Amino acid sequence: MLSNILEYSLSEFENEIVALGEKKFRAKQIYSWIIKGVDDFGEMKNLPKVLVETLNENFVIDLPRQVEVQISETDGTRKYLFELTDQNRIEAVFMKYKYGNTVCVSSQAGCKMGCKFCASTLNGLSRNLTPGEILGQIIAAEKESQEKINHVVVMGIGEPFDNYENVSKFLKLLNDKDGLNIGMRNITISTCGIIPVIDRFGDDFPQVNLAVSLHAATDVNRTEIMPINNKYPIKELLSACRRYVNKTHRRITFEYTLVDGKNDSREDAAALAKLLKGLLCHVNLIPLNPVAETGLRKARRENINAFLRELEKRGIQATVRRELGDEIDAACGQLRLRK
Ligand code: SAH
């Protein structure tokens, strides 16, 4: 089988090139074409013909194949449905923010975490994505949008801390100065709260931003919408978050999806504030993007506002996430589910 160059760091690829009897500097030349989205060795204009043949005999550049792109007329959000070589399908989203262009990538095909409001988990986990398959989503999005990307969030389909080995290699590839060169501080990973991996992550990547999906302030409520809470309940999860902050001195983002009648009362907000008191954090309130199969509804606007005010009153920093790409199937996993 041909190896996918997207899986290699530059130094690994240099070793491969040298092992084939080629000059080391060729690796860097090829790498810089790949970063630009060129996936055909024949189009790499500074390579001799014989080298192109050697490359074709040994390697491929497996960018995910774009099945569909949905473009929002109002805010420029672009949602991609990609197909991998084994026909698994994943999603990525390109978003424009004041501070720059962001791509949200998937880390698994499907998910086994079973959160009740989420479309990505409805058919379970198919498989983990490789580092190159995660990276390829960003290169493909840059190529299609013709825009430079400077922020990456791992908040698409899948639980990144259930695929930590591949995700950590991906982070290194993404950060590589000879690769896409995205700064660690411009990357955010979101987890449903796999405690042992939060500890490892704080050691391995102290500069990468951490977001933790909390979504409820009591174990009863959280277990109802997030089965992972049975294994890693709130008290232990928050201890892990405190360890993380003490170690890295980085602020954690807590994601809290507001579901009508489930977790959106003032009492819920008060309980959340109590839980987070004294922790270096920020709460990101996400109005539920309803997924028909789940029967859950978006919290009402007045409840969202009251929730936010209650947190602020109690000294907890919070914002309501801007709802980008509302008219396209932007809740993660929805596009994949429809096709
Ligand atoms: N597995 C990771 C990344 C998943 S998606 C995690 O759990 O954090 C990123 C965020 O979107 C998570 O907070 C997730 O709970 C939330 N989310 C998923 N489906 C949603 C929906 N339909 N509406 C609003 N938020 C949703």
Side-chain angles (χ1 to χ4, degrees):
M1 223 178 76
L2 303 173
S3 353
N4 181 10
I5 300 179
L6 294 179
E7 306 295 350
Y8 295 122
S9 67
L10 178 60
S11 62
E12 287 167 338
F13 185 49
E14 282 170 346
N15 293 340
E16 297 285 324
I17 285 293
V18 170
L20 287 169
E22 297 290 340
K23 293 263 181 350
K24 185 174 156 188
F25 78 94
R26 294 292 182 195
K28 210 169 189 168
Q29 285 183 321
I30 299 161
Y31 224 68
S32 61
W33 285 108
I34 296 175
I35 301 308
K36 290 192 203 111
V38 176
D39 58 357
D40 177 348
F41 299 117
E43 287 174 21
M44 302 182 174
K45 296 193 189 82
N46 50 3
L47 305 184
K49 255 209 176 109
V50 279
L51 176 56
V52 171
E53 278 165 30
T54 311
L55 291 168
N56 278 323
E57 284 158 17
N58 292 278
F59 303 105
V60 281
I61 304 157
D62 253 334
L63 287 177
R65 189 178 71 80
Q66 184 184 308
V67 179
E68 194 180 321
V69 53
Q70 294 186 346
I71 302 170
S72 158
E73 298 293 331
T74 47
D75 55 36
T77 298
R78 309 169 87 85
K79 174 128 195 181
Y80 302 101
L81 181 66
F82 288 129
E83 190 166 87
L84 306 172
T85 42
D86 66 352
Q87 262 97 65
N88 260 301
R89 288 178 169 196
I90 53 165
E91 295 174 21
V93 189
F94 167 93
M95 292 161 287
K96 271 186 174 306
Y97 287 102
K98 278 197 211 82
Y99 55 76
N101 295 327
T102 301
V103 168
C104 173
V105 294
S106 296
S107 57
Q108 298 179 308
C111 183
K112 65 177 188 222
M113 296 299 143
C115 299
K116 285 295 182 303
F117 45 81
C118 180
S120 304
T121 197
L122 286 171
N123 295 322
L125 175 67
S126 174
R127 69 169 173 85
N128 284 330
L129 300 190
T130 64
E133 285 172 334
I134 310 176
L135 189 74
Q137 298 168 53
I138 302 162
I139 298 174
E142 278 200 339
K143 187 176 178 175
E144 189 282 330
S145 66
Q146 301 279 304
E147 301 253 17
K148 180 85 190 97
I149 279 138
N150 30 44
H151 292 256
V152 171
V153 297
V154 187
M155 291 193 185
I157 294 169
E159 168 48 47
F161 285 0
D162 187 40
N163 181 23
Y164 186 64
E165 298 310 322
N166 290 350
V167 166
S168 44
K169 170 126 195 222
F170 155 73
L171 293 177
K172 289 173 194 152
L173 293 176
L174 183 61
N175 180 240
D176 190 338
K177 66 172 180 18
D178 296 306
L180 288 177
N181 193 18
I182 306 273
M184 291 290 188
R185 284 174 186 262
N186 287 1
I187 308 171
T188 301
I189 298 229
S190 178
T191 178
C192 64
I194 318 261
I195 292 177
V197 188
I198 293 178
D199 286 321
R200 282 182 67 188
F201 176 74
D203 292 327
D204 296 346
F205 299 100
Q207 294 191 309
V208 175
N209 304 295
L210 176 65
V212 173
S213 297
L214 199 53
H215 304 322
T218 65
D219 280 325
V220 176
N221 286 351
R222 191 163 189 265
T223 301
E224 192 187 323
I225 48 177
M226 298 182 73
I228 192 70
N229 196 64
N230 281 311
K231 193 160 180 196
Y232 301 118
I234 292 180
K235 192 158 171 264
E236 281 92 72
L237 176 57
L238 283 173
S239 301
C241 293
R242 287 201 183 84
R243 285 196 295 279
Y244 171 87
V245 170
N246 289 338
K247 186 156 59 189
T248 62
H249 310 291
R250 304 296 311 280
R251 186 181 81 165
I252 293 192
T253 297
F254 288 103
E255 292 154 286
Y256 194 105
T257 292
L258 288 159
V259 186
D260 184 42
K262 293 279 178 206
N263 63 358
D264 63 341
S265 71
R266 273 197 195 188
E267 293 71 42
D268 292 316
L272 180 63
K274 200 168 162 207
L275 214 56
L276 302 182
K277 193 105 216 144
L279 181 61
L280 181 61
C281 70
H282 179 92
V283 175
N284 196 355
L285 297 172
I286 314 172
L288 177 77
N289 195 331
V291 175
E293 288 79 352
T294 67
L296 298 171
R297 290 178 315 267
K298 182 192 287 198
R300 277 179 267 164
R301 185 47 64 182
E302 64 263 30
N303 291 343
I304 297 175
N305 292 339
F307 199 100
L308 177 65
R309 278 198 307 272
E310 191 69 34
L311 288 181
E312 285 171 342
K313 194 179 92 189
R314 291 166 183 271
I316 303 293
Q317 253 195 51
T319 43
V320 179
R321 182 182 288 178
R322 193 156 65 102
E323 294 170 76
L324 291 174
D326 233 10
E327 76 277 22
I328 59 181
D329 288 329
C332 66
Q334 292 205 50
L335 192 55
R336 178 173 183 260
L337 202 63
R338 302 277 166 266
K339 298 283 156 178

